[in-house]
Amino acid sequence: MRVSNLVLGLLVSSGVAAGFSAAASAKTLNTVASFTVLADVVKQVGGDHVNVKSLVPPNGDPHEFEPSPDDAKSLKEADITFISGEGLEGWFEKLVTASGYNGKPIVVSNGIKTRTMEEDGKTVTDPHVWNSPVNVKVWVVNIEKALASADPSDAADFKANARAYSEKLDALNTYAKSVLETVPKDRRKILTSHDAFGYFGREYGVTFLSPIGLSTETEASAADVAKLIDQIKAEKVKTYFFENSNDSRLVKQIAKATGAQPGGELYVESLSKADGPAPTYAKMFHYNVDQLSKAFAGT
């Protein structure tokens, strides 16, 4: 009886120890991402092993975002942090200083073939890389690598999630090409609020005209607006869209001056709330393609 109790005790102890070991190996990373689009992609790769907070809220503008003390607290407590980079999050460095965060953020856009343009006599990089799913696949590679480094015990799950999500991105790319390539190229022209669809345009042969440059922090001069109005009339651009994350008054004024008709709302650099049409990156991209397709069909 004594031996049985001893054996039972050893088995129980072993089981308890194994339970503690399993619990110790199960790690949930406290993760911060700069804005909603990136936060969603991090969640797709991280799955149940990450808790992800987006600093910029749904429908928020990542260019003009002003962090709060709560954001500083979230950053300081993060195990790992992700930003897109390429000049998008101009406010992030100050937030790091204010928060006392000691980590080094993962710049997920590293490795993407970026596009540049001239603005005010300077060559600037377009930061809106996510508007092509081909670029987001590079994000996925960088995110998977960073998560696996921070939590090696769950690396196999991150790899599987990354593979599955990359396949979804391939499907989105195929869908966009199949829909948009049926439209004659000279009709693939749209007026939008600011120059944020450059990568989309490069990938799918769509021309986007806008009064404001790569950042919503810039302002259009009267001469620039007048020149754009003339261009829209000359190229017979029939439809305009406003964006969910910034002021639509200027693009509506230009549309009124040119006769361009409203096509609705596009989600360019921020997801919608959960009950909106674009609560995830995949839904956002699909929604934008469908909205543009409808506009082209009506021209």
Side-chain angles (χ1 to χ4, degrees):
M1 188 71 174
R2 188 177 299 167
V3 174
S4 298
N5 285 339
L6 177 60
V7 172
L8 180 61
L10 288 171
L11 290 172
V12 170
S13 296
S14 176
V16 170
F20 278 128
S21 177
S25 67
K27 184 175 183 179
T28 302
L29 293 172
N30 187 21
T31 307
V32 167
S34 54
F35 68 121
T36 53
V37 177
L38 177 53
D40 176 62
V41 179
V42 171
K43 183 62 180 175
Q44 300 299 326
V45 178
D48 294 336
H49 304 298
V50 296
N51 289 324
V52 187
K53 173 182 170 59
S54 173
L55 294 173
V56 181
N59 298 312
D61 184 343
H63 297 285
E64 298 187 314
F65 178 63
E66 295 182 3
S68 69
D70 284 344
D71 295 320
K73 183 174 183 291
S74 295
L75 182 60
K76 186 174 183 179
E77 295 174 351
D79 295 316
I80 186 168
T81 304
F82 295 92
I83 63 173
S84 181
E86 304 300 345
L88 177 71
E89 304 97 337
W91 43 268
F92 188 79
E93 191 172 332
K94 290 182 180 178
L95 179 61
V96 169
T97 301
S99 68
Y101 177 65
N102 294 318
K104 185 177 181 180
I106 307 301
V107 181
V108 297
S109 296
N110 285 345
I112 289 174
K113 183 183 177 182
T114 54
R115 60 185 291 269
T116 58
M117 63 181 294
E118 294 292 320
E119 278 193 358
D120 299 325
K122 297 179 180 178
T123 300
V124 293
T125 299
D126 183 353
H128 305 92
V129 296
W130 59 88
N131 284 312
S132 164
V134 176
N135 291 341
V136 178
K137 289 183 68 174
V138 177
W139 275 16
V140 169
V141 171
N142 291 330
I143 291 167
E144 180 204 340
K145 182 178 178 181
L147 291 178
S149 178
D151 177 16
S153 63
D154 292 315
D157 286 350
F158 298 142
K159 186 174 183 178
N161 292 344
R163 185 186 302 113
Y165 192 61
S166 291
E167 290 175 358
K168 179 178 285 190
L169 294 172
D170 285 337
L172 287 172
N173 183 43
T174 299
Y175 176 72
K177 287 183 176 180
S178 68
V179 169
L180 297 174
E181 286 179 355
T182 63
V183 180
K185 194 165 184 179
D186 63 351
R187 285 172 46 198
R188 292 182 228 159
K189 296 178 181 180
I190 291 291
L191 171 64
T192 58
S193 298
H194 84 295
D195 191 3
F197 280 100
Y199 294 97
F200 188 105
R202 183 173 77 180
E203 201 69 52
Y204 308 112
V206 179
T207 299
F208 292 88
L209 305 175
S210 59
I212 298 176
L214 296 175
S215 173
T216 54
E217 295 176 299
T218 60
E219 293 185 4
S221 67
D224 288 338
V225 171
K227 185 178 178 181
L228 179 60
I229 288 172
D230 288 342
Q231 183 181 4
I232 290 168
K233 289 179 178 178
E235 297 191 22
K236 299 178 180 179
V237 179
K238 302 296 185 182
T239 309
Y240 78 92
F241 284 90
F242 60 93
E243 300 164 12
N244 70 312
S245 55
N246 55 60
D247 195 325
S248 63
R249 286 176 293 180
L250 179 57
V251 72
K252 288 180 178 179
Q253 289 172 6
I254 293 171
K256 186 175 181 180
T258 62
Q261 297 302 302
E265 185 175 46
L266 296 177
Y267 289 79
V268 57
E269 52 197 11
S270 180
L271 302 181
S272 68
K273 292 182 179 180
D275 59 352
T280 67
Y281 172 74
K283 290 183 178 179
M284 178 189 92
F285 184 82
H286 202 288
Y287 177 83
N288 286 344
V289 170
D290 288 348
Q291 292 292 93
L292 290 168
S293 177
K294 290 177 185 176
F296 295 143
T299 58

